[in-house]
Amino acid sequence: MSILPRLLVLSDLWGTSKIDWFEPCKVTLEGLYEVVFLDSRKLAGISEDITNEKAIHHEFINGGIETAVDELVRNYRECSTIFGVSVGGTIGWRALNSGLKARHFHTISATRLRFETSKPQTSIQLYYGEDDLNRPKDDWFEEMDISCRLISGGHDIYQIPLLIQFVSNQIWNQLPNDDPTKRIVLKRK
């Protein structure tokens, strides 16, 4: 069993087939966290034989998200932080509302949150592309009493290495000052 805090990273609908975006996160946080990368598509039970983006999306919104949430909650009771991109953010949000415990939640481009009506009881950081037409509207943020950071670009802003690095640094900064893993890293610099 790891003594490091656990970070659950939830992929977009492509799962492991397009994960270049994950590398800056892994490089920054491995060794500070037990980084667990989860393929949202596998969690949802969506066949890898389906390769069309619209068909994959259809599978997620027609039961796949719920399947993924159930699987996530069944396999993980708690973690330090959840970081999800796109549909992975929606899965993380719903898992938090279904019993998964985490102190922090970060998501980029989780556009389906616009349909959510209950906010998880944790620290929440949301990032959206300014040009993403499916991001939640301003009144949703007001209703939920949370804010977001708008980044220049569209839905695929999580493919921007600098943004992933920024979010990874935010996650790193969440470590308590008395955390021994943080002290070790600071001594090496």
Side-chain angles (χ1 to χ4, degrees):
M1 181 173 209
S2 176
I3 61 166
L4 298 175
R6 180 176 288 154
L7 167 65
L8 300 180
V9 181
L10 295 158
S11 78
D12 63 1
L13 62 77
W14 295 110
T16 57
S17 68
K18 297 181 181 182
I19 59 168
D20 291 345
W21 62 267
F22 175 61
E23 191 61 26
C25 176
K26 182 179 175 186
V27 168
T28 301
L29 299 172
E30 219 170 33
L32 297 171
Y33 285 86
E34 175 193 353
V35 180
V36 179
F37 180 85
L38 297 165
D39 182 328
S40 294
R41 189 170 168 163
K42 283 185 182 170
L43 285 172
I46 298 172
S47 170
E48 291 183 27
D49 294 336
I50 302 172
T51 58
N52 177 280
E53 182 175 359
K54 286 187 180 201
I56 297 168
H57 183 262
H58 176 80
E59 292 293 315
F60 270 109
I61 63 172
N62 288 289
I65 292 173
E66 290 78 13
T67 300
V69 168
D70 291 345
E71 190 69 16
L72 189 58
V73 172
R74 183 175 21 262
N75 289 303
Y76 298 94
R77 292 277 186 229
E78 64 180 275
C79 61
S80 173
T81 302
I82 296 173
F83 174 32
V85 298
S86 193
V87 74
T90 301
I91 292 165
W93 178 285
R94 288 190 184 175
L96 287 165
N97 280 335
S98 297
L100 178 61
K101 304 285 184 227
R103 288 188 292 280
H104 307 282
F105 175 70
H106 298 260
T107 188
I108 302 174
S109 298
T111 56
R112 297 204 67 78
L113 292 186
R114 69 188 185 272
F115 300 115
E116 299 300 315
T117 58
S118 178
K119 178 173 81 169
Q121 297 303 306
T122 192
S123 162
I124 298 172
Q125 298 292 319
L126 306 176
Y127 304 85
Y128 289 98
E130 287 178 320
D131 301 327
D132 191 337
L133 300 176
N134 293 313
R135 68 180 164 87
K137 303 293 183 217
D138 291 344
D139 60 341
W140 182 87
F141 291 104
E142 288 175 26
E143 215 172 278
M144 289 290 176
D145 192 29
I146 51 178
S147 61
C148 76
R149 291 185 186 213
L150 292 178
I151 309 299
S152 179
H155 182 74
D156 63 351
I157 59 169
Y158 59 89
Q159 299 286 345
I160 302 170
L162 193 58
L163 177 58
I164 295 295
Q165 185 63 57
F166 176 81
V167 174
S168 298
N169 288 341
Q170 296 296 308
I171 293 169
W172 183 81
N173 284 326
Q174 293 168 179
L175 287 170
N177 288 332
D178 62 348
D179 186 297
T181 59
K182 192 169 185 180
R183 280 200 307 267
I184 291 167
V185 171
L186 291 173
K187 288 180 183 177
R188 287 195 318 216
K189 288 187 177 185

